[in-house]
Amino acid sequence: MTRLLPTDINDIPTGIEKYDLELKRKTGSSLKDIAIIASGLEKANLEEAVLRVAVIPVSVGLGPISGFSAAVNAIASHIGFDSYVTGLPDVGGLDEAFRNEADIVMMADDYLFAAFNLQDRQVVSNDEATARGYVTALSCMAGSLCKKFVLLTGAGRLGILAADLLADRQTKLIIYDPDRSREKELAEKIIEKYGATVFTGMELPEALNRCEAVFDASPGCAFIKGDYIKSGTLVAAPGMPLGLDAEAYAKVAERIIHDPLQIGVATMLYCSLAVHRS
Ligand code: PYL
């Protein structure tokens, strides 16, 4: 997991409205709708009391990231939760959250970012929510991913989660990872579970030429070059850094979904409710 920088997230609170309008223009769905669909709650009755979210800064390890709690809080508030950042970090923050009758607590150390639903004892990690949210957003943008060639770059934690969700949508999956053994291992798991057709062993230019959509689950920076990506390609690129170089980004600017936290955080919150309401 690449550690976010303050410069990645500082403008989230002031930019969230503009971000949401752009997401709706590209996918036809708002951030809240994507999170609800991704969590399987589109048919659930969500018109209940506004839930209280406590975002707790965590000081262990490399310590707080300036702007991180404020960004998470802004996203939660934007999609309608009664969210706030606790006055104290760590255990003091958890104490405060319980005394303030928080329904959901969100906190991140250097290894895990999770939402804890204190009512239903449900926990959701940022990785699983980001995979669900981004596959849903890509599916909304594409209309449907069924039978479409989708290139998945990166067979790490996020890629493994995304591969499963993409295969479940009957995509024609191309998996690319510079570590070819990891690529093959993930492909074999998907073939075994879904009996799906999974393509591996391609060089990146060929894979980019064959695919209609890209899900970039890699930690790489600017490795997808403008020369190789077709301008009609749909791109889902969760997190930082961005895998496309500037030329590639310019070619797909109207068809790329990319953010450091928004879709993951919104989906964490609705996934944390899913056990109770689906
Ligand atoms: C959750 C993000 C998504 C991508 N990388 C992950 C990251 O940066 N993790 C570290 C989060 C540290 C937060 C710090 C704080 O401000 O509370 N402990």
Side-chain angles (χ1 to χ4, degrees), residues 120-174:
D120 304 324
R121 298 171 52 82
Q122 180 78 353
V123 58
V124 182
S125 75
N126 178 253
D127 278 347
E128 58 189 306
T130 297
R132 286 186 182 282
Y134 263 85
V135 168
T136 298
L138 185 63
S139 190
C140 289
M141 190 158 66
S144 162
L145 291 175
C146 182
K147 304 274 185 282
K148 285 203 170 70
F149 278 96
V150 180
L151 166 59
L152 171 68
T153 55
R157 221 169 33 193
L158 183 60
I160 290 166
L161 291 164
D164 198 273
L165 294 164
L166 290 165
D168 196 32
R169 281 168 170 75
Q170 293 85 49
T171 61
K172 291 180 181 169
L173 206 48
I174 304 169

Side-chain angles (χ1 to χ4, degrees), residues 1-4 57-58 63-65 68-69 108-110 113 126 260-261:
M1 175 164 55
T2 310
R3 183 176 167 88
L4 289 170
V58 172
I65 299 175
F68 178 80
S69 296
D109 62 15
D110 298 338
F113 175 24
N126 178 253
L261 275 176

